[in-house]
Amino acid sequence: MRPPLKSILVPAAAELIPGAANALTARVIEETGYRVLLVTGAGVTNTHLGKPDVGLICVKEMADHVWAIRDAVEIALIADADTGFGNGVNVYRTVQMFERAGASAIQLEDQVFPKRCGHFDGKAVVPAGEMVGKIKAAVDARKSEDTLILARTDAIATDGIEAAIERAHLFHEAGADMLFVEAPQAEADLARIGAECPGPQICNLVIGGKTPILPRERLQEMGFAGIIYANAPLQAAVKAMRDVLTALHESGSAAGLEHMVASFRERQAMVQHDFYKELEARYAFVD
């Protein structure tokens, strides 16, 4: 039985949290030893729709992905619920859907809908009071206190670090279990977030994004409970696919590309093919 997420994401734990856009990625994350993953809205939008993270994914599509990932792995899942897909009433339903689908925590953000990726320009946030209402709705909607509410603010981009920290305090008072101040652009701001915001803090590091990529040990010193690498697995997959397909296109053959791909055996092991073969044999009809 997996430990409750609240026992993992404690201040200064600096737990590494990769992002998964699908169940196969989630299996790779679990197999390589991680205890928590983020079902990333950006990743699901990119892979499921082939479109950018600009508020195009819907609640049912995200809930289906949470369910599929929960069915594939045992580790804790943080489910990205974007803005909650509407007002407080919509947030209430979203939390119920995601919790039933198997989310260990549900992330909500204070952007105006349609939202943008946290590391895009041109973001806008709703009034703090509107987000407070959404957090209260989320807390009321969950069935288990082990299902955590992660409140994210994007206010640094619109109003600066002081306003973002102020919002973090308001969100904590409204009942959020964890806080996430998105896209600080300086190490000094990260340090302030870790020192001045209440409760467990999450940060999101994007390779090529706005926040400096600091060592885990430094973020641990700052007090962060979790470090999200929401995009790293998908960025790696895109590069690997492009490299293999380019080489195949240029050479006309897959011969010599074995070092660039997982073996056929590794691929089948990742999806537990042997387990299903055993099931077939166990339940085979014998006349």
Side-chain angles (χ1 to χ4, degrees):
M1 186 175 181
R2 64 180 180 272
L5 186 58
K6 66 176 66 175
S7 71
I8 298 175
L9 295 181
V10 297
E15 187 78 18
L16 296 174
I17 307 170
N22 51 48
L24 181 60
T25 305
R27 281 199 182 279
V28 176
I29 290 169
E30 183 174 61
E31 186 188 73
T32 47
Y34 295 89
R35 299 192 294 173
V36 187
L37 65 80
L38 171 73
V39 184
T40 160
V44 172
T45 303
N46 293 167
T47 58
H48 185 58
L49 302 180
K51 300 186 185 301
D53 182 22
V54 290
L56 299 174
I57 205 77
C58 76
V59 63
K60 179 62 164 55
E61 289 167 319
M62 280 302 298
D64 286 347
H65 278 78
V66 174
W67 185 92
I69 290 171
R70 168 50 68 219
D71 192 50
V73 299
E74 294 296 326
I75 61 176
L77 309 182
I78 300 173
D80 184 356
D82 285 348
T83 63
F85 303 98
N87 62 16
V89 175
N90 298 108
V91 168
Y92 193 98
R93 178 171 182 259
T94 296
V95 168
Q96 288 186 324
M97 291 175 68
F98 282 24
E99 186 177 40
R100 287 171 183 156
S104 311
I106 297 152
Q107 175 186 303
L108 295 162
E109 65 194 59
D110 62 357
Q111 281 198 56
V112 170
F113 181 84
K115 58 76 53 89
R116 297 172 183 262
C117 168
H119 290 251
F120 285 178
D121 295 327
K123 296 187 295 181
V125 296
V126 300
E130 182 177 335
M131 182 62 176
V132 164
K134 288 185 176 186
I135 293 168
K136 290 179 177 179
V139 171
D140 287 347
R142 65 182 174 188
K143 299 298 184 184
S144 171
E145 291 187 356
D146 285 335
T147 303
L148 306 182
I149 304 303
L150 170 56
R152 165 179 148 181
T153 179
D154 287 69
I156 281 182
T158 58
D159 301 293
I161 183 67
E162 298 288 350
I165 291 174
E166 182 179 343
R167 282 188 177 228
H169 280 270
L170 291 173
F171 299 168
H172 178 74
E173 292 167 7
D177 302 288
M178 300 183 294
L179 300 171
F180 172 7
V181 179
E182 174 66 305
Q185 298 187 40
E187 182 173 345
D189 286 345
L190 277 166
R192 285 195 63 186
I193 292 163
E196 299 179 31
C197 293
Q201 300 294 316
I202 305 296
C203 69
N204 179 32
L205 302 185
V206 177
I207 301 169
K210 294 181 179 293
T211 303
I213 305 292
L214 300 181
R216 179 184 183 185
E217 292 76 15
R218 178 68 182 118
L219 293 164
Q220 192 168 33
E221 291 171 359
M222 293 177 179
F224 284 96
I227 307 165
I228 293 174
Y229 280 93
N231 294 276
L234 179 55
Q235 287 174 279
V238 169
K239 184 179 188 307
M241 286 190 287
R242 184 186 295 276
D243 288 349
V244 168
L245 291 171
T246 298
L248 176 61
H249 188 266
E250 291 175 350
S251 69
S253 171
L257 303 184
E258 293 83 2
H259 67 288
M260 301 175 68
V261 302
S263 71
F264 186 81
R265 182 181 296 277
E266 288 172 325
R267 173 187 166 196
Q268 302 315 316
M270 189 60 63
V271 294
Q272 299 179 316
H273 183 225
D274 286 347
F275 170 75
Y276 287 95
K277 283 171 58 180
E278 292 172 5
L279 289 185
E280 286 179 350
R282 184 184 309 170
Y283 303 126
F285 173 71
V286 178
D287 194 355

